[in-house]
Amino acid sequence: MPSLCNASVLFLFCFLAVSLSVSARPATFLEDFRITWSDSHIRQIDGGRAIQLVLDQSSGCGFASKSKYLFGRVSMKIKLIPGDSAGTVTAFYMNSDTDAVRDELDFEFLGNRTGQPYTVQTNIYAHGKGDREQRVNLWFDPAADFHTYVIMWNHHHIVFYVDEVPIRVYKNNEARNIPYPKMQPMGVYSTLWEADDWATRGGLEKIDWSKAPFLAYYKDFDIEGCPVPGPANCATNAGNWWEGAGYQALNAMEARRYRWVRMNHMIYDYCTDKSRYPVTPPECMAGI
């Protein structure tokens, strides 16, 4: 009987430990984030489990994480502006917030005229160098429901996911003298703003303020990473789940989905823009 009793106690302890770790995860917006721009234009919903971002002629808005992180995974569910959203940009990104040598990982959702596909632009700044834009037309209506957008960042690669479909991969190729962000922690940011000088068809389509206010919705905020300041050895700990063997490269299914996106939905890639880069940037030949 003692062994059975010990097993039961161990099971109960493990169950409680798992339950506590899950329940301790941030449940509301204000546990992990703060409003950085125009608090009157960010409205909490469902006790802070979701938020509404508002853009009108008086202002856009923005928020940021309370902490910075060095490696990990950031995920949000977003429902974008419906209807005529031309000239608007909804952004979800990570940024080192350093002036001289910036690291940044960008999702930018570019508004559209009604009936046209929504475009998502990704960009990567490493050691102060950006201008690595890629654009993909989403294969669904991102304003009809919530969809999950993820930035995965570890020592091996950076991957942008849309509903578990990888749309962008940036490998760590420091051995080939290609810069890779790994020294500076980054905060998590989001903004909704007017950018009709470039956002839709290169600025040809202007924002129609008669359609305002423009509304975007966020929920299921999830940050798993090494907070800075925090444990000194966290970022170099190979035992972090996001550094595991299953996250060091795309698996076979992810690789097929990645190729499908690039073949069918990519509309711009700086790697193939000879007017900007007569010599192909070295990271473009790194593969996945």
Side-chain angles (χ1 to χ4, degrees), residues 134-137 139 159-161 164-169 249-267 269 287-288:
Q134 293 182 355
R135 292 186 178 187
V136 168
N137 279 344
W139 51 95
V159 186
F160 294 78
Y161 288 93
E164 300 184 356
V165 176
I167 67 166
R168 176 86 183 258
V169 178
L250 300 187
N251 62 39
M253 175 63 76
E254 289 176 330
R256 285 195 295 271
R257 291 173 172 174
Y258 176 76
R259 289 192 292 269
W260 174 79
V261 168
R262 295 182 69 84
M263 289 178 60
N264 296 285
H265 297 283
M266 177 167 280
I267 60 171
D269 184 0
I288 60 171

Side-chain angles (χ1 to χ4, degrees), residues 101-122:
V101 183
R102 174 168 45 134
D103 292 330
E104 185 170 315
L105 312 174
D106 294 340
F107 270 117
E108 292 179 310
F109 303 95
L110 311 182
N112 63 350
R113 286 287 179 232
T114 303
Q116 297 174 346
Y118 239 104
T119 298
V120 57
Q121 174 172 283
T122 57

Side-chain angles (χ1 to χ4, degrees), residues 9-141:
V9 170
L10 179 62
F11 172 80
L12 179 61
F13 174 80
C14 292
F15 174 79
L16 289 173
V18 170
S19 299
L20 287 171
S21 68
V22 171
S23 64
R25 295 174 66 82
T28 64
F29 169 72
L30 290 178
E31 286 185 72
D32 255 4
F33 295 94
R34 57 187 174 85
I35 296 172
T36 56
W37 172 28
S38 189
D39 57 1
S40 64
H41 284 59
I42 296 183
R43 301 165 182 166
Q44 295 188 59
I45 303 169
D46 189 23
R49 292 179 179 84
I51 57 170
Q52 177 194 70
L53 272 61
V54 180
L55 168 64
D56 57 26
Q57 281 187 282
S58 69
S59 184
C61 56
F63 64 88
S65 59
K66 293 178 179 178
S67 298
K68 289 185 177 181
Y69 301 86
L70 190 55
F71 303 112
R73 176 186 180 275
V74 180
S75 172
M76 292 186 190
K77 289 185 178 179
I78 306 174
K79 184 162 69 170
L80 295 173
I81 300 165
D84 188 344
S85 57
T88 69
V89 175
T90 308
F92 160 40
Y93 60 102
M94 300 186 72
N95 190 314
S96 61
D97 197 24
T98 46
D99 293 332
V101 183
R102 174 168 45 134
D103 292 330
E104 185 170 315
L105 312 174
D106 294 340
F107 270 117
E108 292 179 310
F109 303 95
L110 311 182
N112 63 350
R113 286 287 179 232
T114 303
Q116 297 174 346
Y118 239 104
T119 298
V120 57
Q121 174 172 283
T122 57
N123 199 359
I124 294 169
Y125 284 76
H127 301 187
K129 172 67 170 66
D131 298 326
R132 296 183 173 96
E133 300 92 347
Q134 293 182 355
R135 292 186 178 187
V136 168
N137 279 344
L138 293 174
W139 51 95
F140 54 86
D141 180 0

